[in-house]
Amino acid sequence: MKSLISSERLNFIIAVCAILISGASFYATYLQANSAEQQVKAMTWPLIEFTHGNYNVETREKNLTLSLRNAGVGPAIVKSVAFVYQDERHGSLQDFLEACCIDTFREYIEEVKGNQFDADVWTLTTSPTSGIILPVDGELEFLSLVNHPSNNSLWHTINKERWNLQLDVCYCSLLENCYITGKPGQVEEVEACGMP
């Protein structure tokens, strides 16, 4: 009795099946590795938020603050911050203060110069916003201004204009995945962070 399938044809079918099984195995491995990478990425994802306020409950003082907070699940390396005020981008807090409050800011600076030894006058404190690492649940208060007669005009001006301020923050995770956040709830993944 003659065989319905020749040995050459049988070898060809077996070889095709082996290739298909290898391909399926490779694809399953790829999906598993991709899933593991996404899981690690999700477990180290930082989320930077810009927050501001005008009252300290603990000290019961009118304390104007501008802050960055990491609400994510991994540390954030803040690479650059752009201060967007009235549709114009400013590269530093100083530039923003000059754009929003130049008259009252200059008035305050003159008051400080005239009273260098009066500690109550030195109520404006600032911190750099770029090149820092924010841990999970960490917060950087980069402007603090306790209301005082020497800065009353500046305090009220910033208190009003802080609502018109948006921060475009570019930051990276420890795995070097980088993001830009601007308006609340808007996060965009980017290749890398440039200058503001």
Side-chain angles (χ1 to χ4, degrees):
M1 192 168 162
K2 200 171 182 182
S3 172
L4 295 173
I5 301 176
S6 69
S7 62
E8 287 178 4
R9 189 170 198 141
L10 183 61
N11 287 339
F12 176 75
I13 291 171
I14 291 171
V16 168
C17 288
I19 290 170
L20 290 174
I21 290 169
S22 294
S25 176
F26 174 77
Y27 185 65
T29 303
Y30 167 77
L31 289 177
Q32 186 177 12
N34 191 44
S35 175
E37 182 184 334
Q38 292 299 328
Q39 187 175 9
V40 169
K41 188 175 175 182
M43 290 171 55
T44 60
W45 185 55
L47 176 62
I48 299 296
E49 297 176 332
F50 168 50
T51 61
H52 51 89
N54 65 2
Y55 189 76
N56 186 324
V57 178
E58 292 174 12
T59 61
R60 296 183 179 186
E61 292 179 302
K62 288 183 173 181
N63 187 8
L64 189 59
T65 58
L66 304 180
S67 305
L68 291 177
R69 187 173 81 82
N70 184 357
V73 292
I77 304 166
V78 180
K79 301 284 190 172
S80 64
V81 177
F83 295 79
V84 182
Y85 174 70
Q86 294 183 342
D87 296 326
E88 286 189 24
R89 294 172 66 83
H90 303 281
S92 70
L93 177 60
Q94 173 87 16
D95 292 343
F96 160 68
L97 290 174
E98 289 177 3
C100 79
C101 326
I102 188 65
D103 294 333
T104 55
F105 188 52
R106 284 183 181 158
E107 194 179 290
Y108 173 74
I109 296 297
E110 290 304 313
E111 181 71 25
V112 169
K113 285 180 183 175
N115 297 294
Q116 291 184 19
F117 301 105
D118 184 355
D120 290 335
V121 176
W122 292 89
T123 53
L124 174 65
T125 56
T126 61
S127 297
T129 52
S130 300
I132 59 161
I133 296 177
L134 272 180
V136 177
D137 291 329
E139 186 168 356
L140 168 70
E141 196 173 86
F142 61 89
L143 181 141
S144 176
L145 185 62
V146 177
N147 190 237
H148 184 271
S150 66
N151 67 23
N152 195 51
S153 295
L154 179 62
W155 194 95
H156 284 287
T157 304
I158 297 174
N159 187 45
K160 177 185 167 194
E161 297 305 326
R162 68 188 166 104
W163 297 101
N164 300 316
L165 176 64
Q166 173 190 316
L167 262 58
D168 287 347
V169 184
C170 194
Y171 57 97
C172 301
S173 71
L174 295 181
L175 298 176
E176 298 185 10
N177 297 313
C178 297
Y179 309 91
I180 289 181
T181 183
K183 294 180 180 174
Q186 292 184 353
V187 180
E188 177 186 344
E189 190 165 358
V190 292
E191 290 275 331
C193 292
M195 295 303 291

